[in-house]
Amino acid sequence: MNNLATLKGMACLGVLLGSPGVVADYATDLDQAAWRAERTASRCVLEHAIEQVATARFSANGKAPPVLEVNWHARGIQGGQTTLSVVSAPWQPATEQPLAQSHWQRQQLRFDQHIPEALHALADGRWLAISAPGNPHRLVISGIHFQQAHNDFRLCRGEGGVDRAFNGERLTLHFQSGTRALSPEQRRQLAALAAHIGERKPASLLLESHTDNRGDEALNLEISRQRAERVADELRRFHPALPMAIRAFGEAYPATDNSTPAGRYQNRRVVISLIKAEQAS
């Protein structure tokens, strides 16, 4: 039987969950989640690595349907059936939708059914979970920082870029605790947003910035203002004449509960909204 319980306490693939929708104490730092896309001689690859322990890899040969392979780099996997499911992110209402099944073989899983649906779920902000019958722990593949790499993966496959970094006319950036500077991934997201702005030609942008409730309230208000200004400065590199309004709220309006690391991560955010001409009038 698949002994996923042996993974407890290790830096595992994504996040280990003790019950549906609840992140266990040994969750991987959400700020460190990363995805990358690359083109090899014969395949397009979309990869998510967690330190030196495990790798989740979507791959496709041209227009062929993509597959998902999970390689476990440490000992402890003893075979057995597993189920791949779409699950909610920790800050969302708990849901779980089974997609496909596979078996561990030599420290590897391969899923080749319903993988387009799995990619679509990650692009929409949901996560993926791999579970074994009778075992309360699940391996969860985070969708954080997925958007740009997914765009690159689709371009590699000749599907054209998708605007999954945006929720309608809105982009949300999350920040590591205490930081104001933009990460390379955030700069890539803003570059994609700038291209989107060039196509949609909004009348203006609205930047709303929030923090978690850790630390001094006045300092959090200042941090939220500084983050929004960094975002605005980056966007002005592409659209210097576009009006941008900044609203800094500090910790006043959390998106979710601040009692967990996942909740605080969700609350440390700058929301960029595209304002159409009719909305601005």
Side-chain angles (χ1 to χ4, degrees):
M1 183 174 181
N2 183 13
N3 187 14
L4 296 184
T6 61
L7 308 182
K8 182 176 179 180
M10 301 178 69
C12 64
L13 174 64
V15 184
L16 280 175
L17 301 186
S19 59
V22 179
V23 178
D25 291 338
Y26 22 83
T28 301
D29 187 349
L30 300 181
D31 295 320
Q32 302 303 314
W35 288 85
R36 71 179 183 90
E38 67 174 357
R39 181 196 298 271
T40 68
S42 60
R43 297 189 304 167
C44 299
V45 177
L46 178 61
E47 188 172 276
H48 180 55
I50 303 298
E51 298 183 358
Q52 302 299 316
V53 179
T55 304
R57 182 181 295 110
F58 293 94
S59 63
N61 295 321
K63 293 288 188 177
V67 299
L68 169 62
E69 295 173 327
V70 178
N71 293 292
W72 183 251
H73 306 319
R75 295 183 178 181
I77 301 298
Q78 300 176 1
Q81 179 176 300
T82 61
T83 299
L84 174 69
S85 302
V86 174
V87 298
S88 53
W91 48 84
Q92 299 169 342
T95 61
E96 183 169 349
Q97 176 189 354
L99 283 182
Q101 292 187 335
S102 182
H103 287 77
W104 285 105
Q105 295 183 356
R106 296 182 179 180
Q107 310 288 93
Q108 184 180 78
L109 289 171
R110 178 184 172 90
F111 296 95
D112 55 15
Q113 299 293 320
H114 302 291
I115 301 308
E117 291 94 323
L119 288 166
H120 181 77
L122 287 168
D124 280 345
R126 290 169 290 170
W127 293 9
L128 301 178
I130 299 171
S131 59
N135 195 300
H137 297 97
R138 303 183 298 175
L139 297 177
V140 176
I141 302 172
S142 163
I144 292 176
H145 298 157
F146 175 77
Q147 312 293 357
Q148 183 61 49
H150 184 221
N151 277 355
D152 294 342
F153 181 70
R154 287 178 60 96
L155 287 170
C156 175
R157 300 190 65 203
E159 296 180 353
V162 291
D163 203 10
R164 293 292 184 186
F166 314 106
N167 178 10
E169 298 298 311
R170 182 174 300 166
L171 170 67
T172 301
L173 299 178
H174 296 282
F175 286 78
Q176 190 172 0
S177 180
T179 62
R180 285 83 158 169
L182 297 174
S183 68
E185 171 62 22
Q186 288 171 328
R187 292 183 186 278
R188 285 192 291 269
Q189 287 182 285
L190 290 173
L193 175 61
H196 181 75
I197 290 170
E199 296 173 358
R200 302 301 292 269
K201 302 188 184 307
S204 64
L205 299 181
L206 173 62
L207 283 66
E208 299 171 291
S209 186
H210 308 263
T211 68
D212 61 28
N213 66 350
R214 292 291 181 92
D216 179 74
E217 182 177 354
L219 178 59
N220 284 337
L221 182 62
E222 178 63 14
I223 289 174
S224 66
R225 182 188 63 79
Q226 292 173 353
R227 286 172 176 164
E229 288 178 346
R230 295 289 178 88
V231 171
D233 288 344
E234 183 69 14
L235 288 170
R236 288 189 185 106
R237 294 178 54 239
F238 302 94
H239 299 284
L242 182 63
M244 301 183 195
I246 291 176
R247 295 179 183 173
F249 298 103
E251 62 189 64
Y253 300 106
T256 189
D257 190 357
N258 273 300
S259 63
T260 66
R264 291 191 292 274
Y265 175 85
Q266 183 74 355
N267 288 331
R268 297 190 299 269
R269 68 200 191 277
V270 174
V271 182
I272 307 123
S273 299
L274 279 62
I275 307 301
K276 300 177 182 178
E278 57 268 26
Q279 293 174 297
S281 60

